[in-house]
Amino acid sequence: MKKRNAKLIFMTMFLIIMSSVSVFAAEVDTAVVNADKFGILTLLPPVVAIILAFATKNVILSLVLGVMSGGFLLNLNGVNILSALFNSFLDLVNRAVNSLADPWNAGIILQVLAIGGVINLVAKMGGAKAIAEALAKKAKNARSAQLITWAAGLLVFFDDYANSLIIGPMMRPVTDKMKISRERLAFVIDATAAPVAGLAIISTWIGLEVGLIGDGFNSIGVNTNAFSVFLNTIPYRFYNILILGFIVLTSVLLKEFGPMREAELRARRGNVNLTSSKEIDEKISNEHSDLEPLPGVKLNIWNAIIPIGILIVGSLFAFYYSGYTTILGGDDATLIELLKNSPLSFVSIREAFSNADASVALFQSALFAGIVAIVMGTSKKIFNISQGLEIWVDGMKTLVITCVILICAWSLSSVIKELGTARYLIQLLSGSIPAFLLPSIIFVLGGIMSFATGTSYGTMGILMPLTIPLAHSINPEMSYIIVCISAVLTGSIFGDHCSPISDTTILSSMGAGCNHIDHVRTQMPYSLFVASIAILFGYIPAGFGLNIYLILPVAFLVMFIGIQILGKSVDIDENEECLTA
């Protein structure tokens, strides 16, 4: 009887294992079969998305039609085109619903919305404006005014829009007084908006970035912690890091080159703005009103420090607790023993963070920070509970567009995976692209796409599902894949930074009270200069596997030398002395 039971159990287990293997094989074979079946047509969804993004400048429409083009191919049986079109629409809906049904994706969406609510509460309570004004009082000359504007941009790290619209109007009277051109102010604002928000571990960007990274690894069957990967990409965000350093170097040295030097010399002689700013000021007042404190609010920096501080510290606690409970609920005896015996050791904290569910942890901390902000506002009689909840929801509304882009990007990733697009690209390119060049190619492609479309979000959504599988096929080492991921994230920001149709570029012009074309014209040489260094002394060496602690110092040294060679002083007294001599 026992032998019979043993045989029965064995056969049952065998069938379960074989069925699991067959299901897995079916999933893998779908991509393989479709890659062979459709060939070059597997590129249709990303190509449609890219071309339409260039043509329409509308990333949501481009992503939607990209998904539908993939669904059209998958549903095209025979010559029934109308049926395939109808089914492609149904396929789009199903993919969007399935994206939201995933607990990880749902957590990402919720934390993006919750952080938006916190930002709006902080703005309406006057916290952000109070910090900007406190910093503005410390500006004594051209150097300190620019460095303080830079520092203020770092402090408003949680959102690029908030950065552009808060820092510009606050610092403009100060920089005007110090005879700094509006073009230079617009550049400093722009270079501390998206680059800082893209680097911050707590921001309105992190949901998009972590979500796309997680989905990319899922597409190749690699189980990894997406937030941990995100953290590891930070040292390789060469453009973001270098552009921030560029501001400091040129501000301290008071050296500029190209059209920016002309603007600065003009400003030092008393004309900070070439273009009449009456029309611009009207636009600023309309846009900036959304982030202005409520009428009668007494400005207090603690109205920003406490909610944002709780958001950051709460996130750290939430990450630890999430990872801690995950490990204790798992079957790794060594890790369980480690956490029980030394819960606060460096190794324990690192392992807890690596095993945390970032989407849930960030949502928990953002929700708690929102509650604290509402309690603060009501206790100080800035608003009542009902008004506080309304402000919180209004802040969420501003980020609905981000959530829609995320859902569309996840859907595009899904159809790309099913069609076998990445597999086809791997077969086509894995033997033809030198491994060391791939990060640089991705960076340049991301820059071109985001420059033409004016959106870094959409560029990330299109490139990330293709980059991770391709990088993995060329070199499966995680360090190499991380460099390629960072190239997507920074290339998107570089192109967006240069683009005249980018929303952050436009908002930076408005915030500084600067003519938009003047801002683009003076900023672009600086962006191209920094991007060139990021490629030649960042991504190419990183592609060869050089140590990041060697790459970054060398890149900064080259940038310093380049500024010394190309740049000339904008100190008016020094220039006048040179002219006299």
Side-chain angles (χ1 to χ4, degrees), residues 213-450:
I213 291 168
D215 201 52
F217 278 104
N218 288 338
S219 71
I220 57 173
V222 174
N223 184 22
T224 188
N225 185 290
F227 184 74
S228 177
V229 172
F230 167 84
L231 292 178
N232 287 323
T233 65
I234 290 176
Y236 298 96
R237 310 281 192 91
F238 297 119
Y239 180 79
N240 300 39
I241 295 168
L242 291 172
I243 198 75
L244 293 172
F246 181 85
I247 297 170
V248 174
L249 287 173
T250 50
S251 298
V252 171
L253 296 171
L254 286 179
K255 284 191 171 184
E256 311 283 353
F257 57 85
M260 188 68 81
R261 184 169 186 268
E262 297 171 12
E264 281 293 272
L265 288 174
R266 184 200 72 225
R268 294 296 193 276
R269 293 188 173 93
N271 187 7
V272 296
N273 190 23
L274 269 179
T275 310
S276 172
S277 61
K278 182 180 178 183
E279 188 178 324
I280 295 172
D281 287 339
E282 288 176 3
K283 288 182 180 178
I284 293 168
S285 62
N286 293 334
E287 293 283 341
H288 189 57
S289 61
D290 289 339
L291 291 167
E292 276 290 303
L294 293 172
V297 171
K298 186 179 179 181
L299 300 184
N300 189 332
I301 60 171
W302 292 105
N303 289 349
I305 292 173
I306 292 174
I308 299 298
I310 285 173
L311 178 60
I312 296 168
V313 175
S315 296
L316 299 177
F317 277 107
F319 276 119
Y320 180 81
Y321 180 75
S322 173
Y324 182 87
T325 53
T326 300
I327 290 171
L328 291 185
D331 54 7
D332 191 327
T334 307
L335 277 182
I336 292 171
E337 194 67 23
L338 175 67
L339 260 66
K340 284 183 176 179
N341 294 332
S342 308
L344 296 179
S345 68
F346 174 77
V347 177
S348 295
I349 293 171
R350 184 191 66 198
E351 292 298 329
F353 273 56
S354 296
N355 286 276
D357 186 333
S359 64
V360 173
L362 285 168
F363 175 56
Q364 289 169 339
S365 57
L367 187 60
F368 183 59
I371 292 169
V372 169
I374 291 172
V375 170
M376 283 180 64
T378 52
S379 65
K380 293 184 176 186
K381 297 182 179 178
I382 296 172
F383 45 69
N384 57 40
I385 291 178
S386 184
Q387 290 170 330
L389 288 170
E390 211 172 292
I391 292 167
W392 187 60
V393 172
D394 283 342
M396 290 184 178
K397 290 176 184 176
T398 61
L399 289 174
V400 167
I401 188 72
T402 302
C403 297
V404 173
I405 291 172
L406 259 176
I407 293 167
C408 291
W410 286 328
S411 300
L412 181 65
S413 177
S414 169
V415 78
I416 282 173
K417 179 182 177 182
E418 189 174 340
L419 271 174
T421 306
R423 190 171 294 275
Y424 175 77
L425 273 178
I426 289 165
Q427 294 170 356
L428 190 68
L429 300 175
S430 57
S432 59
I433 295 178
F436 77 93
L437 273 182
L438 183 61
S440 300
I441 292 170
I442 292 168
F443 177 84
V444 171
L445 182 59
I448 292 169
M449 282 179 59
S450 56

Side-chain angles (χ1 to χ4, degrees), residues 432-493:
S432 59
I433 295 178
F436 77 93
L437 273 182
L438 183 61
S440 300
I441 292 170
I442 292 168
F443 177 84
V444 171
L445 182 59
I448 292 169
M449 282 179 59
S450 56
F451 176 82
T453 61
T455 170
S456 46
Y457 279 18
T459 303
M460 291 175 191
I462 293 168
L463 280 184
M464 194 67 78
L466 301 176
T467 294
I468 292 176
L470 183 58
H472 183 264
S473 72
I474 291 175
N475 185 346
E477 287 188 18
M478 184 59 77
S479 58
Y480 179 77
I481 300 171
I482 283 169
V483 174
C484 292
I485 291 170
S486 76
V488 174
L489 301 176
T490 50
S492 302
I493 287 173

Side-chain angles (χ1 to χ4, degrees), residues 146-167:
Q146 291 181 73
L147 292 174
I148 286 169
T149 306
W150 175 84
L154 296 186
L155 288 175
V156 188
F157 57 83
F158 40 81
D159 183 66
D160 53 332
Y161 288 6
N163 190 313
S164 299
L165 289 172
I166 291 171
I167 304 303

